Amino acid sequence: MLLINCPWCGPRDEIEFRYGGEAHIDYPWNAAELTDEQWAETLFMRTNPKGNHHERWNHTHGCRRWFNVVRDTRTHIIQRVYQIGSKPEDKTASEDLS
């Protein structure tokens, strides 16, 4: 089980959270102008890296807030947790968990 460090509530067990998909996905403003194939690409095609992956998580059984996580997909070790709206490289808005 993962121990996830919520930026607001502190470390909690994984069962308190829900995975929200890949972080930093930009959705088009002109969605009505996209073809079905382009819209499917936007909604469903995601990276599947071997290594660090930026993810969104929601603390559903706690503060109910969304935040981002950098997790190594090979080891499931969480490298960093940072608030949505912060850049992953911004050390003032992220927390190293190594």
Side-chain angles (χ1 to χ4, degrees), residues 49-53 71-74:
K50 182 177 182 180
N52 286 344
H53 189 238
R71 181 180 61 86
D72 189 321
T73 59
R74 296 167 296 188

Side-chain angles (χ1 to χ4, degrees), residues 22-29 34 39 41-43 46:
E22 186 175 350
H24 309 292
I25 300 295
D26 292 327
Y27 292 94
W29 290 101
L34 298 179
W39 188 235
E41 178 85 16
T42 299
L43 291 178
R46 298 290 179 256

Side-chain angles (χ1 to χ4, degrees), residues 31-69:
E33 298 172 14
L34 298 179
T35 66
D36 288 344
E37 293 79 18
Q38 290 170 321
W39 188 235
E41 178 85 16
T42 299
L43 291 178
F44 302 116
M45 300 307 290
R46 298 290 179 256
T47 62
N48 187 17
K50 182 177 182 180
N52 286 344
H53 189 238
H54 296 267
E55 305 169 338
R56 293 178 304 161
W57 286 80
N58 179 255
H59 194 179
T60 52
H61 297 287
C63 63
R64 298 182 182 209
R65 294 172 115 175
W66 286 92
F67 57 95
N68 293 324
V69 168

